[in-house]
Amino acid sequence: MDAIVNAPIISIGKFDWTITDVIDNRKEETPYIFGKLSKYAKEGHATVIDEVSRSQVDADVPNLLEASSSFIYLPEYSGIAFLHVWNGIQEDVFPRRFKSVIEAAFDGFFVACDVEPVSDYRAFTSRLKKLSHFTGFSATVHPPNPLFGRLWGGLNDYIENRNASEVTVKEQTSKTKGLKSRIIELMDRIMDSPEYEPGEPPAIGDAAILMAADGYGRGKVVGMENGDEVVIKTSDTQKSFLHDKEPVPKELAVKTKVQFEKISKERDMNH
């Protein structure tokens, strides 16, 4: 959080990146940090009007802003919501640049920062249901902080007992019936009833995909659809909501908290 407040400037390609317009409300009743991930050109060029000649001319504009993405970080959920900026800072670009800025604050020394998307269960399962069978599961997951999902609690305990900072699970099959999995059933059942308790703990492959879908890693499912091999990633169905492009920080904090609370209740996640 200190790195967000005192972000360094990094250069990537033609542009510089940093975090601007920070509002540090860590001590408020609803703690949050608001900022804008800003992309700008050190030696920018813009078209201006020359009043004397009544013509458009190019002019040098130092530190010309190219794009900025408003975001809010809620420490209570270790969660972040950010604005997707078309042709500027897209949803796949923000996590990479945010990671680079935060890690640069510590000179990349013994530090890692990753922003993993929380998947929309309904969109994810509706996509999985189009597959006739699964041929591969893979996921890389890391210990949650501070929330964890009950369905993948066993995998979480395993990671903790092994004292691991990251675990990778990979399953493949060439058999005609595909992998045996309850992933669709598990997601459907917990969406219907957050108190749902499976008769037996989910298999490690299913648990890893669930964990990645809840924002604690990256996962993908490979399967067959109409004779073609299809790859479905947990990041393909990122959870999102609508808000003003120029948000009032406190209003955004409240709305983001509601979203994280809703996700936690839907999936019966606990501290």
Side-chain angles (χ1 to χ4, degrees):
M1 288 186 275
D2 289 341
I4 294 174
V5 175
N6 300 296
I9 297 167
I10 63 169
S11 296
I12 299 176
K14 298 187 297 181
F15 299 104
D16 285 357
W17 297 75
T18 191
I19 294 171
T20 63
D21 305 277
V22 173
I23 296 174
D24 185 356
N25 271 354
R26 276 180 273 184
K27 296 180 181 178
E28 296 292 314
E29 186 176 343
T30 300
Y32 69 85
I33 296 179
F34 173 87
K36 294 182 179 181
L37 181 65
S38 297
K39 170 187 178 183
Y40 64 100
K42 269 274 195 293
E43 298 175 0
H45 303 279
T47 302
V48 298
I49 300 297
D50 184 325
E51 293 182 337
V52 177
S53 63
R54 296 289 198 276
S55 60
Q56 297 180 8
V57 296
D58 287 333
D60 293 334
V61 182
N63 299 331
L64 179 65
L65 182 68
E66 179 76 13
S68 74
S69 172
S70 299
F71 69 87
I72 200 148
Y73 176 77
L74 301 185
E76 182 181 355
Y77 297 92
S78 193
I80 191 169
F82 62 88
L83 173 68
H84 165 70
V85 183
W86 289 104
N87 298 322
I89 307 175
Q90 298 91 327
E91 61 188 36
D92 61 326
V93 173
F94 182 97
R96 299 202 306 270
R97 298 296 181 259
F98 185 85
K99 168 187 175 72
S100 296
V101 169
I102 299 303
E103 291 179 351
F106 303 95
D107 297 320
F109 187 71
F110 280 101
V111 63
C113 170
D114 292 291
V115 179
E116 304 288 5
V118 176
S119 299
D120 183 320
Y121 270 18
R122 293 190 191 282
F124 188 63
T125 54
S126 67
R127 191 71 194 85
L128 292 181
K129 287 172 183 176
K130 293 181 180 179
L131 303 181
S132 57
H133 60 277
F134 305 131
T135 58
F137 275 25
S138 62
T140 298
V141 294
H142 52 80
N145 179 25
L147 297 170
F148 74 91
R150 183 167 41 76
L151 285 186
W152 43 266
L155 178 55
N156 186 44
D157 291 341
Y158 171 84
I159 294 172
E160 195 172 294
N161 292 336
R162 300 286 289 179
N163 199 28
S165 56
E166 195 173 83
V167 167
T168 298
V169 175
K170 187 171 185 178
E171 300 175 324
Q172 284 181 296
T173 186
S174 55
K175 296 180 179 178
T176 52
K177 291 185 178 179
L179 287 169
K180 292 181 179 179
S181 171
R182 296 178 59 210
I183 189 71
I184 294 174
E185 177 196 347
L186 291 167
M187 285 182 156
D188 278 345
R189 294 290 292 274
I190 199 163
M191 280 189 290
D192 290 339
S193 173
E195 295 81 27
Y196 165 66
E197 278 286 358
E200 57 187 48
I204 190 168
D206 290 349
I209 294 294
L210 286 167
M211 198 169 178
D214 285 342
Y216 298 110
R218 306 172 298 282
K220 69 178 181 181
V221 174
V222 182
M224 302 304 293
E225 181 181 355
N226 299 324
D228 295 322
E229 187 176 75
V230 174
V231 177
I232 302 168
K233 298 177 182 178
T234 51
S235 57
D236 290 342
T237 53
Q238 187 165 334
K239 198 87 171 171
S240 61
F241 61 92
L242 295 174
H243 200 71
D244 297 335
K245 287 185 178 179
E246 292 295 335
V248 176
K250 191 165 186 176
E251 291 177 2
L252 181 59
V254 170
K255 189 163 186 177
T256 302
K257 183 176 181 180
V258 168
Q259 294 293 323
F260 278 120
E261 282 180 344
K262 186 179 176 184
I263 291 166
S264 299
K265 286 177 182 175
E266 279 178 352
R267 305 177 189 189
D268 197 25
M269 298 177 78
N270 304 297
H271 281 80

